Amino acid sequence: MKKQRSNRGRPSGGRMNGAPGNGPKVASGDLSGRGGRGEAGGKSRGRTAVAEALIAGLPVAKNDEVVIDIIGMNHDGEGVGRAEGYTLFVAGALPGEKARVKVLKTKKQYGYAKLLDVVEVSADRVAPPCPIYDKCGGCQLQHMSYDAQLAWKRQHVVDALERIGKLRVAGGAPEAGAPAGGSGEERADGDHAVVVRPTLGMAEPWRYRNKAQVPVGVTDGALVGGFYARGSHRIVDMETCLIQHESNDDVVSRVKAIGRRLGITAYDEETGKGLLRHVVVKVGFRTGEMMLVLVTNGDRIPHEDEWVAAIREEMPSVVSICQNVNTRQTNVIFGDVTRVLWGREVIFDYIGDVKFAISARSFYQVNPLQTEVLYGKTVEYAGLTGQETVIDAYCGIGTISLFLAQHAKRVYGVEIVKEAIEDARVNAELNGMSHVTFEVGASEDVIPAWKEQGIEADVIVVDPPRKGCDPRLLDTILEMKPERVVYVSCNPATLARDLRILEDGGYRTVEVTPVDMFPHTVHVESVAKLYRQE
């Protein structure tokens, strides 16, 4: 799950699904054709000759048009095709399709192509409902039916477990849309195979995000805010996003209109001048409360009183208006200073029966409906009876810790981000949970210190960033020897890597359940249940 960290981004690492042996993935927006045949401009003749020599004999060259079969999809959601055995990645193509493509870039073992026409259409192809889907890049799978998305995400997890973790998955790889993974009874105790359940999806996979972070710029002299055009930092104005809560769209639209009326300038990345950098909006799904954060390039906001008054008048559900100051020339959204312009410092929302205070900078899951599903599966895998002591590594603001605390005797949470622990303590007090302890520090340092104090964990829950668990934390888990480990992951590749280490240290991965926290994107969360073998 996404904690208060900056290193959780797009999927990374490992070979591509359907493209074994194809080397590392390059940025999907890099379609410049560097390294292809006939490249000259500005390069030395020697370097060009080497590049041509490296790719001599390829069956395709840049600008060729070919018809290929799409045999799979990589972790960026690009179709994987073959041209006489040579791998081409094609954005927008689906497995099972025959497509006419134009080669954009070639490397020694793989290349990139543009989809020109679908000659044979997959039964999983649907018309994307978003009018700017092909320009935005925030979603990658709207052209794929939702059932097929869920099946692909499960298969993505299966592939990582088998290829990277060297684990055997019960039931093999099912056809798209078929029931997946079998039952726990299929796995005999002496036959170590992991059950991977079907992906837990949403009944209504739209309008699920509770937070919008909208970059602001200028187009034709007017203030605009929306999204970065694919592969660039050019801001395209947008009035609606189909995965955002409708209230977020409305507030962003009104804030832009008020800013235009008051002559508010937009920040320019190149010059470092201009005021408004981002508009950030948060909404509590259960409470309806909203927070607006204006991220500015400087302390002073011209017409501040008029802006606040207009927001209060036009948007009565906004109970908190904040300013965050970021004067650094960086693409990081927030700066270090946040102040309240009007209203409260926090808004409130619930995950299940647990209440959370959400500040301008604090992390809170962006899909609260699926977060409850994810945490429910975590509690199930923890096997809590009310008598256990649980340690929550990477606890963030305490979301999982407090969810677990409803079913455990004692919970200890550790997190390296000081501000997150401060929020966690506030949330524990807010819910009257005195049997939860939070401490600042690295898990691999704090947990051994707890052990020296006599604290023994029955269950350890880990929920690391995309890079996975710190190796020392894995060593600490193996030394602590809890009966059960529950691993919550946002990256199948690092999940599989870490499961292999825990398996080699005496644990058995029993079951993994993917959870679709971000429909229509390539991201997939997973929860894994491990038991210590005697």
Side-chain angles (χ1 to χ4, degrees):
M1 306 294 294
K2 281 64 180 172
K3 298 282 189 297
Q4 190 169 325
R5 299 179 179 87
S6 61
N7 55 356
R8 295 220 179 184
R10 290 174 59 83
S12 61
R15 294 174 177 174
M16 306 319 112
N17 296 343
N22 278 347
K25 180 76 167 66
V26 300
S28 59
D30 182 7
L31 304 176
S32 60
R34 290 189 295 273
R37 291 182 177 178
E39 182 179 74
K43 310 280 188 189
S44 71
R45 293 180 63 184
R47 181 175 176 185
T48 301
V50 170
E52 289 177 346
L54 283 174
I55 62 173
L58 294 183
V60 295
K62 183 180 176 182
N63 295 325
D64 281 355
E65 292 186 12
V66 292
V67 176
I68 59 175
D69 291 320
I70 305 299
I71 61 173
M73 200 160 71
N74 69 9
H75 64 239
D76 283 335
E78 298 167 322
V80 179
R82 295 278 197 267
E84 299 181 37
Y86 179 72
T87 298
L88 287 171
F89 298 113
V90 186
L94 292 177
E97 293 186 330
K98 187 182 292 291
R100 186 168 62 89
V101 303
K102 180 178 180 179
V103 179
L104 298 173
K105 181 174 182 176
T106 58
K107 298 176 80 73
K108 186 177 181 180
Q109 293 182 305
Y110 60 93
Y112 297 90
K114 177 182 179 180
L115 180 63
L116 298 177
D117 184 37
V118 180
V119 179
E120 293 181 7
V121 180
S122 167
D124 295 325
R125 180 173 288 278
V126 296
C130 177
I132 57 172
Y133 173 60
D134 61 334
K135 302 181 182 69
C136 173
C139 296
Q140 302 84 38
L141 301 179
Q142 281 193 24
H143 61 294
M144 191 180 204
S145 73
Y146 190 54
D147 285 345
Q149 290 181 36
L150 297 179
W152 175 76
K153 290 185 178 187
R154 177 193 180 270
Q155 191 58 45
H156 184 26
V157 173
V158 169
D159 290 345
L161 295 179
E162 292 181 332
R163 190 181 67 250
I164 300 171
K166 308 303 180 187
L167 298 168
R168 192 169 72 80
V169 174
E175 296 295 325
S183 67
E185 286 72 22
E186 288 182 24
R187 184 185 59 76
D189 287 342
D191 180 19
H192 183 188
V194 182
V195 174
V196 179
R197 297 292 181 186
T199 307
L200 298 178
M202 301 187 72
E204 180 55 48
W206 301 99
R207 298 293 187 181
Y208 58 82
R209 289 186 62 93
N210 60 15
K211 179 175 71 172
Q213 297 182 145
V214 178
V216 177
V218 174
T219 299
D220 297 328
L223 186 146
V224 298
F227 64 93
Y228 291 117
R230 194 188 300 267
S232 78
H233 265 221
R234 180 174 60 86
I235 297 172
V236 179
D237 202 28
M238 176 178 61
E239 293 301 323
T240 187
C241 173
L242 297 181
I243 62 173
Q244 281 289 348
H245 192 286
E246 293 93 331
S247 297
N248 288 350
D249 278 347
D250 181 59
V251 169
V252 170
S253 178
R254 291 174 181 271
V255 167
K256 289 190 295 184
I258 295 169
R260 291 175 190 133
R261 290 203 308 264
L262 296 177
I264 301 298
T265 60
Y267 175 71
D268 187 314
E269 284 187 343
E270 294 185 1
T271 66
K273 297 181 179 179
L275 179 69
L276 189 60
R277 300 176 67 127
H278 280 81
V279 175
V280 178
V281 184
K282 301 183 179 185
V283 58
F285 269 42
R286 291 264 293 275
T287 63
E289 296 179 348
M290 301 192 71
M291 170 182 285
L292 170 63
V293 185
L294 304 172
V295 183
T296 60
N297 179 39
D299 296 314
R300 181 177 172 274
I301 299 179
H303 311 291
E304 178 182 315
D305 292 341
E306 293 97 318
W307 228 17
V308 169
I311 291 167
R312 292 180 59 189
E313 179 180 355
E314 295 186 27
M315 293 162 265
S317 56
V318 174
V319 299
S320 172
I321 305 175
C322 299
Q323 176 192 14
N324 176 266
V325 180
N326 184 0
T327 58
R328 293 172 293 192
Q329 287 194 284
T330 173
N331 57 8
V332 175
I333 294 176
F334 285 112
D336 297 328
V337 177
T338 303
R339 65 187 182 104
V340 177
L341 300 179
W342 173 84
R344 302 200 307 249
E345 291 187 2
V346 299
I347 61 173
F348 296 100
D349 201 16
Y350 290 82
I351 299 176
D353 295 327
V354 184
K355 188 176 184 180
F356 292 94
I358 307 162
S359 65
R361 295 288 308 277
S362 67
F363 175 82
Y364 185 70
Q365 298 299 334
V366 300
N367 186 339
L369 298 177
Q370 286 296 89
T371 298
E372 188 170 351
V373 172
L374 184 78
Y375 289 0
K377 183 59 66 173
T378 303
V379 169
E380 176 191 330
Y381 281 180
L384 302 179
T385 66
Q387 301 303 312
E388 292 82 9
T389 296
V390 182
I391 290 178
D392 178 13
Y394 306 103
C395 71
I397 67 167
T399 48
I400 289 182
S401 300
L402 300 182
F403 213 79
L404 293 165
Q406 299 173 103
H407 311 276
K409 180 178 180 180
R410 188 81 192 178
V411 176
Y412 295 86
V414 56
E415 167 65 54
I416 201 166
V417 180
K418 178 183 176 182
E419 292 80 7
I421 289 295
E422 292 172 354
D423 287 341
R425 289 168 177 160
V426 168
N427 288 323
E429 184 177 353
L430 187 65
N431 289 277
M433 294 182 175
S434 58
H435 61 304
V436 185
T437 299
F438 293 107
E439 188 163 332
V440 179
S443 298
E444 53 273 16
D445 296 326
V446 173
I447 295 175
W450 281 340
K451 185 177 181 180
E452 290 181 4
Q453 298 169 23
I455 298 170
E456 298 285 346
D458 302 295
V459 182
I460 291 182
V461 176
V462 297
D463 183 8
R466 292 200 58 79
K467 65 182 180 180
C469 290
D470 186 283
R472 289 196 298 144
L473 174 58
L474 296 175
D475 291 341
T476 298
I477 292 173
L478 296 177
E479 291 172 8
M480 287 278 286
K481 296 181 179 179
E483 181 182 341
R484 295 179 294 283
V485 174
V486 181
Y487 194 129
V488 183
S489 168
C490 64
N491 185 342
T494 54
L495 168 68
R497 180 201 67 196
D498 292 347
L499 291 183
R500 179 72 269 159
I501 295 170
L502 292 172
E503 290 253 345
D504 292 342
Y507 283 83
R508 172 174 290 184
T509 306
V510 178
E511 188 170 296
V512 178
T513 298
V515 180
D516 191 21
M517 295 286 290
F518 308 102
H520 312 296
T521 79
V522 295
H523 301 289
V524 57
E525 304 273 336
S526 302
V527 191
K529 175 171 64 174
L530 297 92
Y531 283 101
R532 184 166 62 87
Q533 299 181 86
E534 295 298 337

